[in-house]
Amino acid sequence: MNREMEELASKAAECARDARHQAALLPEGPIRDALLEKAKQYEAEIPADPTYTAAAQCRTDWGATS
């Protein structure tokens, strides 16, 4: 993976974590659902690379209660 792809993957992982964190602070509802959907979209942009398995772990640890 080249440097540019690594930076993009890292940014996507960071955005996914941020969206999940924000969603975890909200009560159930459309805004929370939209943030969780956005997190899924960011996670879909992360390439299948062992370097980013931590991002996948965050997905199971944060806010996936609905």
Side-chain angles (χ1 to χ4, degrees):
M1 184 182 296
N2 66 30
R3 183 181 178 111
E4 183 178 331
M5 288 299 294
E6 287 178 12
E7 289 176 9
L8 290 173
S10 178
K11 183 64 175 174
E14 179 183 346
C15 290
R17 282 190 300 269
D18 288 347
R20 286 197 178 278
H21 176 72
Q22 291 173 11
L25 299 174
L26 296 172
E28 288 189 26
I31 297 173
R32 180 176 181 259
D33 293 344
L35 283 168
L36 291 173
E37 183 61 34
K38 194 62 169 172
K40 289 177 188 176
Q41 292 170 357
Y42 283 126
E43 289 164 349
E45 296 176 18
I46 301 170
D49 185 301
T51 308
Y52 296 101
T53 55
Q57 182 61 40
C58 287
R59 180 178 178 197
T60 60
D61 291 345
W62 287 27
T65 59
S66 59

